[in-house]
Amino acid sequence: MAFAVEPAISDLKSDYDRDGWCKIPHRFDDETVGLLRERIDSICGRRRPEVVYEKDGKTVRAVHGCHAFDDICAALVRHPQLVTLAEALLGGPVYVYQFKVNLKQAHEGAAWPWHQDFAFWREEDGMPRPDAVNIAVPLDDVHEGNGPLVVIPGSHTLGLLDLPAMTGEDEKNGWLQHVSADLTYTVTGARADSLAREHGKVLITGRAGSLHAFHPSIVHSSSNNLSADRRALLLITYNAVGNAPTNPTRPEFLVERDSTATTPGGDGRLRLVPDVSPSDG
């Protein structure tokens, strides 16, 4: 299915530039989702540096950099429609800056507080500008009860908000605090409430395999998973080739060092179909 039809691309870019997020009118089919879920579940069962746990030390919270060692994930980041979409939204060649799957296990998955991704990428890695885009692919059906992503439309235009004064102790916590429930860089609840009153907020729900794009500076969060349904959200961050970080010190599975443009490549195991599910909101 082609995103290459110019009116469709221009509409998506218009929505993205205005709101800081957009819904893509395609999704990965059920077989593709099943294959991706199978690979991620297998990775979650291994003790690897890329696997992050909740505070209990046993419940998987996230896995990172899977495209570097799993062939299906590697094929996914090169999917022609995803690369085309990222290039259209950013206006030029892109590479994969980050790959991760955030998991909220049934009844156990902890919230992500209000934050902006670009705060981490600029402050920790030295990314010059927010010229990157997150492509989100849920591997499970996402509904209001299992901790969906919540975004505040238009908040990406406000710059970085509520950056803390860092101390030596903060620096010792290292990269694990950037992927835990106790994030280093957050937007205060009062600020988020004020922004939500002014701009509204959108719950990003939908069936497994659906596609959304969101801006690195958009203010977003997600709640605890209080339901019996897991919520696994796969996220590919494409960065503009000319926007590579200047001081990447975090592990390579969090920050890709090679900024060579991603070459699109098809894989018959990864199939897109039209998404006719209801709109978010």
Side-chain angles (χ1 to χ4, degrees), residues 1 8 11 14 54 74 79 118 128 150 156 172 183 220-222 247 249 272 280:
M1 301 299 166
D11 289 346
S14 177
E54 299 282 9
H79 196 288
F118 184 52
V150 182
H156 65 300
K172 291 177 188 176
L183 293 179
H220 62 289
S221 69
S222 62
N247 184 38
T249 58
L272 284 171
D280 301 279

PDB file of all heavy atoms in Angstrom, residues 1 8 11 14 54 74 79 118 128 150 156 172 183 220-222 247 249 272 280:
ATOM      1  N   MET A   1       0.852  -1.180   0.000  1.00  0.00           N
ATOM      2  CA  MET A   1       0.000   0.000   0.000  1.00  0.00           C
ATOM      3  C   MET A   1       0.893   1.237   0.000  1.00  0.00           C
ATOM      4  O   MET A   1       1.819   1.328   0.786  1.00  0.00           O
ATOM      5  CB  MET A   1      -0.901   0.011   1.234  1.00  0.00           C
ATOM      6  CG  MET A   1      -1.806  -1.210   1.321  1.00  0.00           C
ATOM      7  SD  MET A   1      -2.905  -1.277  -0.094  1.00  0.00           S
ATOM      8  CE  MET A   1      -3.503  -2.949   0.033  1.00  0.00           C
ATOM      9  N   ALA A   8      -2.050  12.197  -0.037  1.00  0.00           N
ATOM     10  CA  ALA A   8      -2.086  11.514   1.254  1.00  0.00           C
ATOM     11  C   ALA A   8      -0.899  11.928   2.115  1.00  0.00           C
ATOM     12  O   ALA A   8      -1.046  12.210   3.300  1.00  0.00           O
ATOM     13  CB  ALA A   8      -2.102  10.008   1.036  1.00  0.00           C
ATOM     14  N   ASP A  11      -1.349  15.523   3.351  1.00  0.00           N
ATOM     15  CA  ASP A  11      -2.340  15.612   4.423  1.00  0.00           C
ATOM     16  C   ASP A  11      -1.748  15.156   5.749  1.00  0.00           C
ATOM     17  O   ASP A  11      -1.970  15.779   6.788  1.00  0.00           O
ATOM     18  CB  ASP A  11      -3.571  14.764   4.084  1.00  0.00           C
ATOM     19  CG  ASP A  11      -4.409  15.366   2.961  1.00  0.00           C
ATOM     20  OD1 ASP A  11      -4.181  16.549   2.631  1.00  0.00           O
ATOM     21  OD2 ASP A  11      -5.276  14.656   2.427  1.00  0.00           O
ATOM     22  N   SER A  14       0.628  17.772   7.025  1.00  0.00           N
ATOM     23  CA  SER A  14      -0.109  18.920   7.545  1.00  0.00           C
ATOM     24  C   SER A  14      -0.609  18.643   8.961  1.00  0.00           C
ATOM     25  O   SER A  14      -0.474  19.477   9.863  1.00  0.00           O
ATOM     26  CB  SER A  14      -1.276  19.254   6.615  1.00  0.00           C
ATOM     27  OG  SER A  14      -2.042  20.318   7.143  1.00  0.00           O
ATOM     28  N   GLU A  54      10.689  -3.683  35.379  1.00  0.00           N
ATOM     29  CA  GLU A  54      10.023  -2.818  36.335  1.00  0.00           C
ATOM     30  C   GLU A  54      10.794  -2.871  37.658  1.00  0.00           C
ATOM     31  O   GLU A  54      11.785  -3.592  37.794  1.00  0.00           O
ATOM     32  CB  GLU A  54       8.570  -3.273  36.548  1.00  0.00           C
ATOM     33  CG  GLU A  54       7.697  -3.239  35.290  1.00  0.00           C
ATOM     34  CD  GLU A  54       7.218  -1.839  34.915  1.00  0.00           C
ATOM     35  OE1 GLU A  54       7.702  -0.853  35.529  1.00  0.00           O
ATOM     36  OE2 GLU A  54       6.382  -1.733  33.997  1.00  0.00           O
ATOM     37  N   ALA A  74      14.917  -5.897  12.023  1.00  0.00           N
ATOM     38  CA  ALA A  74      15.788  -5.213  11.062  1.00  0.00           C
ATOM     39  C   ALA A  74      15.043  -4.931   9.762  1.00  0.00           C
ATOM     40  O   ALA A  74      15.209  -3.864   9.152  1.00  0.00           O
ATOM     41  CB  ALA A  74      17.027  -6.062  10.794  1.00  0.00           C
ATOM     42  N   HIS A  79      11.285  -1.017   6.154  1.00  0.00           N
ATOM     43  CA  HIS A  79      10.056  -1.146   5.365  1.00  0.00           C
ATOM     44  C   HIS A  79       9.876   0.107   4.500  1.00  0.00           C
ATOM     45  O   HIS A  79       9.917   1.233   5.006  1.00  0.00           O
ATOM     46  CB  HIS A  79       8.854  -1.321   6.294  1.00  0.00           C
ATOM     47  CG  HIS A  79       7.637  -1.830   5.607  1.00  0.00           C
ATOM     48  ND1 HIS A  79       6.891  -1.049   4.748  1.00  0.00           N
ATOM     49  CD2 HIS A  79       7.029  -3.043   5.630  1.00  0.00           C
ATOM     50  CE1 HIS A  79       5.873  -1.765   4.286  1.00  0.00           C
ATOM     51  NE2 HIS A  79       5.936  -2.974   4.801  1.00  0.00           N
ATOM     52  N   PHE A 118      12.402  14.594  23.280  1.00  0.00           N
ATOM     53  CA  PHE A 118      13.550  15.390  22.839  1.00  0.00           C
ATOM     54  C   PHE A 118      14.376  15.895  24.014  1.00  0.00           C
ATOM     55  O   PHE A 118      15.567  16.164  23.865  1.00  0.00           O
ATOM     56  CB  PHE A 118      13.078  16.557  21.967  1.00  0.00           C
ATOM     57  CG  PHE A 118      14.210  17.386  21.395  1.00  0.00           C
ATOM     58  CD1 PHE A 118      15.258  16.787  20.709  1.00  0.00           C
ATOM     59  CD2 PHE A 118      14.229  18.769  21.544  1.00  0.00           C
ATOM     60  CE1 PHE A 118      16.302  17.538  20.181  1.00  0.00           C
ATOM     61  CE2 PHE A 118      15.257  19.527  21.018  1.00  0.00           C
ATOM     62  CZ  PHE A 118      16.292  18.915  20.334  1.00  0.00           C
ATOM     63  N   PRO A 128      20.966  17.959  17.985  1.00  0.00           N
ATOM     64  CA  PRO A 128      20.855  19.412  17.798  1.00  0.00           C
ATOM     65  C   PRO A 128      19.419  19.936  17.753  1.00  0.00           C
ATOM     66  O   PRO A 128      19.102  20.952  18.371  1.00  0.00           O
ATOM     67  CB  PRO A 128      21.571  19.660  16.462  1.00  0.00           C
ATOM     68  CG  PRO A 128      22.476  18.483  16.288  1.00  0.00           C
ATOM     69  CD  PRO A 128      21.743  17.329  16.899  1.00  0.00           C
ATOM     70  N   VAL A 150      -1.057   8.986  25.669  1.00  0.00           N
ATOM     71  CA  VAL A 150      -1.898  10.189  25.679  1.00  0.00           C
ATOM     72  C   VAL A 150      -1.028  11.354  25.234  1.00  0.00           C
ATOM     73  O   VAL A 150       0.049  11.578  25.798  1.00  0.00           O
ATOM     74  CB  VAL A 150      -2.475  10.474  27.082  1.00  0.00           C
ATOM     75  CG1 VAL A 150      -3.392  11.694  27.043  1.00  0.00           C
ATOM     76  CG2 VAL A 150      -3.230   9.270  27.620  1.00  0.00           C
ATOM     77  N   HIS A 156       4.056  20.349  20.844  1.00  0.00           N
ATOM     78  CA  HIS A 156       5.397  20.207  20.257  1.00  0.00           C
ATOM     79  C   HIS A 156       5.964  21.549  19.806  1.00  0.00           C
ATOM     80  O   HIS A 156       7.161  21.649  19.526  1.00  0.00           O
ATOM     81  CB  HIS A 156       5.350  19.253  19.066  1.00  0.00           C
ATOM     82  CG  HIS A 156       4.550  19.748  17.916  1.00  0.00           C
ATOM     83  ND1 HIS A 156       3.196  20.040  18.015  1.00  0.00           N
ATOM     84  CD2 HIS A 156       4.893  20.035  16.622  1.00  0.00           C
ATOM     85  CE1 HIS A 156       2.765  20.459  16.839  1.00  0.00           C
ATOM     86  NE2 HIS A 156       3.769  20.474  15.986  1.00  0.00           N
ATOM     87  N   LYS A 172      24.709  10.130  38.214  1.00  0.00           N
ATOM     88  CA  LYS A 172      25.114   8.780  38.588  1.00  0.00           C
ATOM     89  C   LYS A 172      24.035   7.744  38.266  1.00  0.00           C
ATOM     90  O   LYS A 172      24.326   6.567  38.132  1.00  0.00           O
ATOM     91  CB  LYS A 172      25.435   8.734  40.082  1.00  0.00           C
ATOM     92  CG  LYS A 172      26.697   9.490  40.471  1.00  0.00           C
ATOM     93  CD  LYS A 172      26.882   9.444  41.977  1.00  0.00           C
ATOM     94  CE  LYS A 172      28.021  10.348  42.420  1.00  0.00           C
ATOM     95  NZ  LYS A 172      28.146  10.381  43.898  1.00  0.00           N
ATOM     96  N   LEU A 183      11.314   9.049  35.604  1.00  0.00           N
ATOM     97  CA  LEU A 183      12.100   9.656  34.531  1.00  0.00           C
ATOM     98  C   LEU A 183      12.880  10.877  35.014  1.00  0.00           C
ATOM     99  O   LEU A 183      12.431  11.625  35.883  1.00  0.00           O
ATOM    100  CB  LEU A 183      11.178  10.082  33.383  1.00  0.00           C
ATOM    101  CG  LEU A 183      10.490   8.958  32.602  1.00  0.00           C
ATOM    102  CD1 LEU A 183       9.585   9.556  31.519  1.00  0.00           C
ATOM    103  CD2 LEU A 183      11.508   8.021  31.969  1.00  0.00           C
ATOM    104  N   HIS A 220       3.582  14.012  26.286  1.00  0.00           N
ATOM    105  CA  HIS A 220       2.793  12.793  26.290  1.00  0.00           C
ATOM    106  C   HIS A 220       3.049  11.988  27.559  1.00  0.00           C
ATOM    107  O   HIS A 220       4.022  12.235  28.288  1.00  0.00           O
ATOM    108  CB  HIS A 220       3.094  11.938  25.050  1.00  0.00           C
ATOM    109  CG  HIS A 220       4.502  11.454  24.946  1.00  0.00           C
ATOM    110  ND1 HIS A 220       5.571  12.285  24.658  1.00  0.00           N
ATOM    111  CD2 HIS A 220       5.041  10.216  25.097  1.00  0.00           C
ATOM    112  CE1 HIS A 220       6.698  11.592  24.631  1.00  0.00           C
ATOM    113  NE2 HIS A 220       6.405  10.328  24.903  1.00  0.00           N
ATOM    114  N   SER A 221       2.159  11.038  27.813  1.00  0.00           N
ATOM    115  CA  SER A 221       2.272  10.181  28.987  1.00  0.00           C
ATOM    116  C   SER A 221       1.469   8.919  28.734  1.00  0.00           C
ATOM    117  O   SER A 221       0.870   8.749  27.662  1.00  0.00           O
ATOM    118  CB  SER A 221       1.725  10.896  30.233  1.00  0.00           C
ATOM    119  OG  SER A 221       0.306  11.041  30.136  1.00  0.00           O
ATOM    120  N   SER A 222       1.442   8.030  29.701  1.00  0.00           N
ATOM    121  CA  SER A 222       0.527   6.892  29.670  1.00  0.00           C
ATOM    122  C   SER A 222       0.310   6.429  31.101  1.00  0.00           C
ATOM    123  O   SER A 222       1.188   6.588  31.956  1.00  0.00           O
ATOM    124  CB  SER A 222       1.067   5.754  28.799  1.00  0.00           C
ATOM    125  OG  SER A 222       2.290   5.254  29.309  1.00  0.00           O
ATOM    126  N   ASN A 247      27.116  14.182  21.103  1.00  0.00           N
ATOM    127  CA  ASN A 247      27.822  13.616  22.249  1.00  0.00           C
ATOM    128  C   ASN A 247      27.105  12.374  22.769  1.00  0.00           C
ATOM    129  O   ASN A 247      26.677  12.329  23.922  1.00  0.00           O
ATOM    130  CB  ASN A 247      27.927  14.667  23.365  1.00  0.00           C
ATOM    131  CG  ASN A 247      28.739  14.167  24.547  1.00  0.00           C
ATOM    132  OD1 ASN A 247      29.739  13.478  24.371  1.00  0.00           O
ATOM    133  ND2 ASN A 247      28.295  14.497  25.757  1.00  0.00           N
ATOM    134  N   THR A 249      26.695   9.212  24.599  1.00  0.00           N
ATOM    135  CA  THR A 249      27.431   8.433  25.595  1.00  0.00           C
ATOM    136  C   THR A 249      26.609   7.252  26.105  1.00  0.00           C
ATOM    137  O   THR A 249      27.170   6.331  26.707  1.00  0.00           O
ATOM    138  CB  THR A 249      27.827   9.311  26.794  1.00  0.00           C
ATOM    139  OG1 THR A 249      26.644   9.885  27.369  1.00  0.00           O
ATOM    140  CG2 THR A 249      28.759  10.434  26.358  1.00  0.00           C
ATOM    141  N   LEU A 272       1.388  -4.477   4.863  1.00  0.00           N
ATOM    142  CA  LEU A 272       0.470  -3.404   5.239  1.00  0.00           C
ATOM    143  C   LEU A 272      -0.861  -3.581   4.533  1.00  0.00           C
ATOM    144  O   LEU A 272      -0.906  -4.003   3.374  1.00  0.00           O
ATOM    145  CB  LEU A 272       1.055  -2.044   4.880  1.00  0.00           C
ATOM    146  CG  LEU A 272       2.156  -1.491   5.778  1.00  0.00           C
ATOM    147  CD1 LEU A 272       2.764  -0.248   5.152  1.00  0.00           C
ATOM    148  CD2 LEU A 272       1.625  -1.162   7.164  1.00  0.00           C
ATOM    149  N   ASP A 280      -8.906   7.940  16.394  1.00  0.00           N
ATOM    150  CA  ASP A 280      -8.587   8.142  17.801  1.00  0.00           C
ATOM    151  C   ASP A 280      -9.322   9.362  18.321  1.00  0.00           C
ATOM    152  O   ASP A 280      -9.795  10.206  17.576  1.00  0.00           O
ATOM    153  CB  ASP A 280      -7.077   8.369  17.966  1.00  0.00           C
ATOM    154  CG  ASP A 280      -6.268   7.205  17.454  1.00  0.00           C
ATOM    155  OD1 ASP A 280      -6.135   6.227  18.189  1.00  0.00           O
ATOM    156  OD2 ASP A 280      -5.791   7.274  16.310  1.00  0.00           O
TER     157      ASP A 280
END
